[in-house]
Amino acid sequence: MKLLNHCRKHSFLFIVPAIVLLSGCGDMNRKKTELFKLKLEGKTFKQNDRVAVAIGNTENKEIKSIIYTIDGQTLPVSDGKIYLAIKKLGEKTLNATITYDEGKATVSKNIRVLAPRPPEVYTYEIVAEYPHDDRAYTQGLEFHNDTLYESTGKKDRSSLRKVDYKSGEVLQKVAMDGTVFGEGITILNEKIFMLTWQSNKGFIYDLTTLEKLDNFQYGESKQGWGFANDGKRLIKSDGTEKIWFLNPETLVEEDFIQIVTNKSIFNRANELEYVNGKIYANVYQRPGIMIIDPTSGAIEGAVNFGGLDKKVTKSDTWNESENVLNGIAYHPERKTFFVTGKDWDKLFEVNIIKK
């Protein structure tokens, strides 16, 4: 017992200095950051702005160099200004790594970087009107070989279907489990990828048979809204300001952008379509579609579909907040867009034109 007590004393004596040493390291790191302060005029800027920046040096240390970065990208500095030539916009952290006579310190400031210019305004012209199932609570639309694929929502009404868009006939339909709320779809590599709303999971179907092949879980994006693809990646909206990019093999969320205008960060992207290098996104509960740069997240265009719902026959159960424009598909051969809404009795073929 004496030997054991002796060992315990020595262990205690060893631990105490270690704790003091670790505490000292924490104080040292804290003091390093307190030596300097990152100073900016304002918190909100635009892409490619040149922003005056300064470093407060509380103890007049000899500064040898300062490197400014956002998302790991080094920012050019000229005449006391940093150049915000960053690729992805939104909420960002500006870091200043300072090398001085005694070492290095990094100080940071949260900023917001928005689009450099306002969105261009577009309108539409109707090319043709087609019948549409007025019990289809449309969530996703996509063409493949002249066949329209559609996903619908609402619990006990959610489905995946193939549709003859000219006649409105449902050629093939798979009803989903009554506990899930169906959302957007996209087609890639002979598979249909379909989201659900709040179940935190999606499904994979065979393109030809509509047989369910697999399911997958979401990552950081907790909900499923719109789905599209750029030929290599799946593109997913989740009801927030983020649009996610998924690996189609692993279904891992590998990257994201934030949706921004020149004035604010936007969080109402719903159904998605990828056309000619741009993301087209329905605006949730609004008669509009955004045209988004998939690299930066900037909303480059806004399409006003106001008045289109006036051409739809409204039932006794029509709900202005629910039966809204939703669903957008591009027909690559016809080079036109097809749009409809939740429980609308018409599908519209349109051209999108700049005002």
Side-chain angles (χ1 to χ4, degrees), residues 269-296:
N270 199 359
E271 156 67 348
L272 306 177
E273 183 83 343
Y274 185 88
V275 183
N276 297 329
K278 305 295 179 183
I279 299 171
Y280 287 70
N282 281 111
V283 182
Y284 179 58
Q285 292 187 324
R286 296 288 186 272
I289 286 174
M290 301 175 286
I291 304 173
I292 303 168
D293 182 333
T295 300
S296 69

Side-chain angles (χ1 to χ4, degrees), residues 257-269:
I257 54 174
Q258 298 174 61
I259 311 165
V260 304
T261 68
N262 60 314
K263 294 183 177 180
S264 65
I265 294 176
F266 199 78
N267 64 353
R268 302 180 73 89

Side-chain angles (χ1 to χ4, degrees), residues 22-52:
L22 290 171
S23 175
C25 288
D27 288 342
M28 188 181 302
N29 288 332
R30 182 175 55 81
K31 287 177 181 177
K32 275 187 176 183
T33 59
E34 291 176 352
L35 291 174
F36 306 100
K37 186 176 182 180
L38 181 54
K39 297 181 179 181
L40 296 171
E41 292 183 4
K43 295 182 179 179
T44 301
F45 309 98
K46 294 180 181 178
Q47 186 184 38
N48 300 323
D49 274 356
R50 297 184 183 275
V51 178

Side-chain angles (χ1 to χ4, degrees), residues 2 32 34 69 76 122 124-125 179 213 231 245 256 265 309:
K2 288 182 179 179
K32 275 187 176 183
E34 291 176 352
T69 60
Y122 293 79
Y124 66 97
E125 61 178 11
T179 62
L213 303 175
F245 297 92
F256 68 86
I265 294 176
D309 63 333

Side-chain angles (χ1 to χ4, degrees), residues 140-164:
L141 285 180
E142 191 158 328
F143 275 103
H144 183 80
N145 292 341
D146 203 42
T147 298
L148 184 63
Y149 290 75
E150 182 174 15
S151 59
T152 67
K154 290 283 191 183
K155 291 183 178 180
D156 294 319
R157 288 174 54 192
S158 295
S159 67
L160 172 63
R161 49 181 75 183
K162 294 182 184 179
V163 180
D164 180 339

Side-chain angles (χ1 to χ4, degrees), residues 127-307:
V127 175
E129 299 179 10
Y130 305 99
H132 180 255
D133 182 1
D134 65 359
R135 292 294 293 165
Y137 197 78
T138 304
Q139 300 290 61
L141 285 180
E142 191 158 328
F143 275 103
H144 183 80
N145 292 341
D146 203 42
T147 298
L148 184 63
Y149 290 75
E150 182 174 15
S151 59
T152 67
K154 290 283 191 183
K155 291 183 178 180
D156 294 319
R157 288 174 54 192
S158 295
S159 67
L160 172 63
R161 49 181 75 183
K162 294 182 184 179
V163 180
D164 180 339
Y165 72 90
K166 293 179 180 178
S167 68
E169 179 187 358
V170 177
L171 305 173
Q172 195 173 351
K173 176 180 173 181
V174 174
M176 302 185 72
D177 185 288
T179 62
V180 300
F181 193 120
E183 285 284 348
I185 57 169
T186 193
I187 298 168
L188 184 64
N189 301 331
E190 300 300 307
K191 297 175 184 177
I192 304 171
F193 298 84
M194 181 171 178
L195 301 172
T196 63
W197 180 28
Q198 294 178 318
S199 300
N200 198 33
K201 64 181 176 182
F203 301 104
I204 305 172
Y205 297 87
D206 181 87
L207 178 62
T208 304
T209 65
L210 299 191
E211 176 189 357
K212 187 190 294 183
L213 303 175
D214 205 350
N215 57 54
F216 60 94
Q217 299 293 314
Y218 304 159
E220 289 185 49
S221 65
K222 300 306 180 186
Q223 294 187 9
W225 286 43
F227 228 5
N229 75 84
D230 62 4
K232 296 180 180 179
R233 304 173 296 175
L234 304 178
I235 305 171
K236 177 180 185 289
S237 64
D238 67 350
T240 72
E241 75 282 358
K242 293 179 180 178
I243 290 181
W244 300 85
F245 297 92
L246 284 66
N247 183 309
E249 299 299 326
T250 65
L251 282 303
V252 171
E253 294 160 1
E254 296 181 333
D255 200 1
F256 68 86
I257 54 174
Q258 298 174 61
I259 311 165
V260 304
T261 68
N262 60 314
K263 294 183 177 180
S264 65
I265 294 176
F266 199 78
N267 64 353
R268 302 180 73 89
N270 199 359
E271 156 67 348
L272 306 177
E273 183 83 343
Y274 185 88
V275 183
N276 297 329
K278 305 295 179 183
I279 299 171
Y280 287 70
N282 281 111
V283 182
Y284 179 58
Q285 292 187 324
R286 296 288 186 272
I289 286 174
M290 301 175 286
I291 304 173
I292 303 168
D293 182 333
T295 300
S296 69
I299 301 176
E300 297 182 338
V303 190
N304 183 0
F305 278 97

